[in-house]
């Protein structure tokens, strides 16, 4: 059982790449991305040198280098956390050391914390010593979890340019890197279903249960609605793979890539999971049990499935309401931790911009080469560099890491739509059109909007750890959720955790709408822009989509009207204001 009711989700490629090393010893679980093996290798060498360990590089010319880099780095993180956690457990109580900080970070109603506080005031003697020993035995480190974007899965070639087998694609190699590591933790699969990747999970015994229904390695699905969660989980269950957690994320009120649903709002989505949880479990377990039988595995106890939620949570009251009303096990707090330097890798310049930014600085963009909406930050150095390159007549970026190559419009070999090569070719094609379209400049702007994320999302980690090389591009891309606009400051880990649990209020000076209202506004703005974009040439399919989208939003508004009286951990004035905001949004939609 984890001591905390929140986790720190993945933050870009590099922002949480070593967050587990910083927080796991305090019982806090966090997620590192395992997409960028080049950054991973540099971070491994960096930590290995600090510790006087073997820092021999794993070269790209070596067989299965990507998988091996990931395994070796995860094993290193595992060793560091184990050592630091054992050290913490053996520290004396009541001296302000890390063991006291461990208990200090726990929520006020934690049984472990209450026992700790009672032990501190006991008289010295054998009874107090026994209770201190019992408390040490209860401590557990946070989980070192990893994330893969399922569809970032390009084919790879050997040194002679020959295509390698399927198991060497980016996603499968990353999965193998985790599967072969010493970690006993979870892999979070996000950004939709990849049957090829999901089927590959079967190849690793660590994802299969023991007879008690426990796993060495667990699977977590990041989802935005019930239907897609069930489809993906059924596919996996038929293969004998259990989903140990559904991590529900707001479609738009999140950081990183934003997967806008058809107006399916977070509240109604959580309600459906709450109401259909048992039905879902029964259906999945029937498929899973049959698949395990085929593998010769018999369970004494059924495995467990957690449900957690993340995306736009901003106050302790919201956090508590989600846990209690929807019966979920945990919440995810991502973007606010970008303002906690001891937890995440944000360079000083970007950190100061984030700490002082207003809501206009955060926007949903078409910057991602994946063709998926991307939460962007106007004041980032990567965004400034992109505009400077356009002004100089040289749009696009050099493409070095090639994780997001997918376009074959002009080339046989896939290239990235953020690359200088692609943008030059595409803009030339547009300029050669005869007659020229009336929206030519808009089309050119759309091409040049794509931003290099492979470099930009890992640069801050290199700068912060003094690993940036003299000729390397030091422009930083960052992808916080819009909720970060309400946080203005730079915080300690103790302050942010204290805010989550209601010990302090970091937003006391800010008027902030409820998270459900914030998300609803984001969806209405998104719909408005999408309608405007297609107004000139609206086909039947798109018209039906807009009608369904609007109907879902109105249904969501009706749901919230009924929910508001149940938000009893807020004041009457708060609930009245929330109702007034809902009615204003409803009028806007009408």
């Amino acid at each position: 059982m984890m001591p905390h009711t929140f986790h720190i989700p993945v933050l870009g490629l590099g922002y949480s790449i070593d967050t587990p090393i910083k927080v796991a010893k305090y019982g806090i679980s966090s997620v590192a991305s395992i997409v960028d093996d080049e950054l991973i290798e540099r971070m491994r060498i960096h930590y290995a040198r600090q510790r006087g360990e073997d820092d021999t590089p794993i070269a790209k010319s070596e067989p299965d280098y990507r998988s091996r880099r990931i395994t070796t780095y995860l094993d290193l993180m595992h060793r560091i956390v184990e050592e630091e956690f054992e050290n913490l457990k053996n520290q004396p109580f009541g001296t302000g050391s890390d063991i006291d900080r461990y208990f200090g970070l726990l929520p006020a109603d934690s049984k472990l914390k209450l026992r700790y506080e009672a032990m501190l005031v006991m008289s010295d003697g054998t009874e107090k010593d026994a209770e201190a020993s019992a408390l040490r035995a209860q401590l557990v480190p946070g989980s070192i979890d990893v994330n893969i974007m399922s569809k970032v899965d390009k084919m790879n070639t050997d040194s002679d340019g020959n295509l390698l087998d399927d198991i060497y694609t980016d996603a499968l190699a990353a999965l193998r890197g985790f599967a072969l590591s010493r970690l006993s933790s979870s892999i979070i699969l996000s950004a939709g279903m990849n049957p090829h990747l999901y089927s590959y999970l079967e190849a690793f015994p660590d994802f299969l249960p023991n007879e008690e229904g426990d796993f060495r390695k667990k699977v977590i699905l990041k989802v935005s609605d019930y239907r897609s969660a069930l489809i993906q989980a059924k596919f996996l269950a038929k293969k004998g793979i259990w989903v140990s957690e559904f991590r529900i994320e707001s479609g738009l009120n999140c950081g990183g890539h934003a997967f806008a649903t058809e107006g399916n709002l977070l509240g109604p989505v959580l309600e459906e999971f709450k109401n259909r949880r048992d039905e879902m479990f029964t259906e999945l377990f029937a498929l899973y049990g049959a698949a395990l039988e085929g593998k010769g595995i018999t369970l004494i106890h059924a495995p467990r499935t957690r449900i957690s939620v993340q995306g736009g949570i901003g106050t302790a009251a919201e956090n508590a309401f989600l846990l209690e009303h929807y019966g979920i096990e945990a919440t995810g707090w991502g973007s606010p931790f970008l303002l906690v330097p001891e937890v995440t890798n944000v360079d000083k310049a970007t950190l100061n911009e984030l700490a002082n930014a207003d809501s206009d600085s955060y926007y949903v963009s078409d910057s991602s080469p994946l063709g998926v909406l991307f939460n962007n930050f106007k004041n980032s150095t990567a965004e400034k560099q992109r505009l400077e390159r356009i002004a100089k007549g040289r749009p696009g970026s050099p493409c070095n890491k090639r994780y997001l190559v997918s376009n074959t419009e002009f080339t046989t070999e896939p290239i990235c739509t953020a690359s200088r090569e692609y943008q030059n070719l595409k803009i030339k094609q547009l300029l050669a059109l005869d007659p020229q379209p009336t929206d030519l400049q808009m089309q050119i702007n759309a091409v040049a909007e794509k931003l290099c994320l492979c470099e930009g999302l890992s640069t801050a980690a290199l700068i912060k750890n003094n690993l940036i090389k003299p000729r390397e591009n030091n422009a930083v891309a960052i992808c916080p959720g819009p909720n970060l606009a309400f946080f203005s400051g730079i915080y300690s880990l103790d302050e942010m955790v204290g805010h989550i649990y209601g010990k302090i209020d970091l937003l006391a000076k800010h008027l902030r709408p409820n998270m459900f209202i914030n998300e609803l506004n984001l969806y209405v703005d998104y719909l408005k822009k999408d309608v405007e974009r297609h107004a000139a040439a609206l086909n039947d399919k798109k018209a039906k989509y807009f009608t369904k989208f609007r109907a879902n939003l109105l249904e969501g508004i009706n749901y919230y009207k009924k929910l508001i009286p149940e938000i009893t951990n807020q004041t009457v004035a708060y609930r009245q204001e929330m109702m007034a905001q809902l009615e204003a949004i409803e009028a806007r939609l009408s």
Side-chain angles (χ1 to χ4, degrees), residues 249-266:
E249 185 171 73
S250 166
L252 287 179
N253 199 9
C254 61
H257 285 88
F259 296 85
T261 62
E262 292 183 335
N264 298 313
L265 300 172
L266 189 60

Side-chain angles (χ1 to χ4, degrees), residues 267-268 271 325-326 554-563:
E271 190 70 36
H325 184 80
Y326 295 106
L554 290 169
E555 199 177 302
I557 288 169
N558 286 330
Y559 168 81
Y560 288 138
K561 284 180 179 176
K562 291 172 189 162
L563 181 73

